[in-house]
Amino acid sequence: MATATLKLFFAISILAVVLLAGWYPFKRRLAANEHFDFPLGETLATGVFLGAALLHMLPESNAMFAQMGYEYPFAYIITGIIFLIFLWFEHLGRELYHHQDSSHPAFALLAWLMLSFHSLVLGTALGFTHDYPVIIMLFLAIITHKWAESFAIAVQLNKTSLSTAKSLAFFLAFALMTPLGIFIGWYFGHGMETHSLFDPILIAASAGTFLYLGTLHGLERCVMVERCCNLNHFSFVIIGFLLMASVAAYV
């Protein structure tokens, strides 16, 4: 199967998962958040994200900058900036959550903006990747946490004073972000080779996103804090990281 066909299949699969996960909150217009647990999938995805950032994307971006004659560690700077931007958004979201009425849309819209952006970047990273093992591992990591994000953002949108139509419009836009990112990544990776600074910058930004998802996403509720006190769960973080390490040796 050609990588383009595989990516198309993955894009459709991710879209289907997002829509299915968000369907129930819109059906019931939930008044309170409900938490679904999938600890092994979450911890495995965390290890994969961490490994993808540190073992694949960051070294690749750094090598591309070096090939272009840039000795300054731009890849690491961009990765760090993206990481800190996401961390800042998380802190801003917490402040809004604690200081706004629960029906106020500010927190939900900030969460929507943040999740939409990193969904776009995740999709772009998958679309830009050429190696089958990496493509498959990234897809599995994305799909194992995407349903939870989709459910959460649907709940948050339905808890606000936004109309059902507006909430649905925001959710559908969120649902399309990862498939759109996959297309953008494929387009610049195969459809239109840029051979410009855009390529290493995009990969470094993806590395920052993956690094954040693998560490502090959710702050005190992040997988590294909430799940990894359980050694059985933490072992799946290690497994995910080692899987990406083995893929790095293979490709």
Side-chain angles (χ1 to χ4, degrees):
M1 183 185 294
T3 56
T5 305
L6 185 63
K7 290 172 184 177
L8 176 62
F9 172 74
F10 285 166
I12 295 172
S13 300
I14 291 170
L15 178 61
V17 167
V18 171
L19 293 176
L20 286 173
W23 169 79
Y24 184 70
F26 277 96
K27 181 175 182 290
R28 298 295 300 271
R29 294 287 291 188
L30 294 178
N33 197 355
E34 294 182 5
H35 183 63
F36 289 166
D37 266 345
F38 188 20
L40 298 185
E42 290 177 359
T43 50
L44 183 66
T46 294
V48 169
F49 285 138
L50 197 58
L54 297 178
L55 302 175
H56 292 271
M57 297 174 183
L58 190 53
E60 182 179 356
S61 176
N62 191 54
M64 292 175 75
F65 274 115
Q67 288 174 1
M68 294 178 180
Y70 295 95
E71 296 183 2
Y72 189 78
F74 284 110
Y76 296 90
I77 296 296
I78 295 168
T79 297
I81 289 173
I82 295 297
F83 181 92
L84 292 174
I85 287 173
F86 278 124
L87 184 59
W88 179 76
F89 269 112
E90 289 266 16
H91 284 293
L92 179 60
R94 284 186 63 187
E95 290 298 314
L96 288 173
Y97 184 80
H98 290 301
H99 292 91
Q100 297 284 359
D101 182 79
S102 60
S103 65
H104 196 282
F107 173 74
L109 293 180
L110 179 64
W112 173 85
L113 179 64
M114 181 177 175
L115 292 176
S116 294
F117 179 71
H118 83 55
S119 294
L120 183 68
V121 176
L122 288 178
T124 304
L126 194 156
F128 200 81
T129 302
H130 301 163
D131 302 305
Y132 275 107
V134 179
I135 292 171
I136 293 170
M137 291 303 300
L138 291 184
F139 167 73
L140 292 176
I142 291 171
I143 208 77
T144 52
H145 88 284
K146 200 66 183 172
W147 65 272
E149 280 191 356
S150 306
F151 182 82
I153 196 65
V155 168
Q156 291 299 329
L157 287 170
N158 280 290
K159 286 169 64 176
T160 70
S161 56
L162 291 172
S163 67
T164 303
K166 288 182 179 178
S167 297
L168 184 59
F170 277 111
F171 180 76
L172 290 176
F174 165 77
L176 291 171
M177 287 299 168
T178 302
L180 177 62
I182 292 174
F183 172 76
I184 292 172
W186 169 83
Y187 182 71
F188 284 103
H190 284 91
M192 189 185 79
E193 295 282 356
T194 63
H195 300 293
S196 69
L197 283 173
F198 176 83
D199 297 339
I201 290 173
L202 173 64
I203 296 171
S206 300
T209 305
F210 276 59
L211 184 62
Y212 186 74
L213 288 173
T215 53
L216 293 181
H217 180 42
L219 296 180
E220 71 272 7
R221 299 184 310 279
C222 70
V223 172
M224 282 292 194
V225 173
E226 188 176 42
R227 302 293 187 194
C228 291
C229 293
N230 183 318
L231 290 180
N232 289 330
H233 292 169
F234 182 63
S235 65
F236 277 83
V237 176
I238 297 173
I239 290 170
F241 186 84
L242 291 178
L243 282 172
M244 295 310 293
S246 62
V247 169
Y250 175 76
V251 299

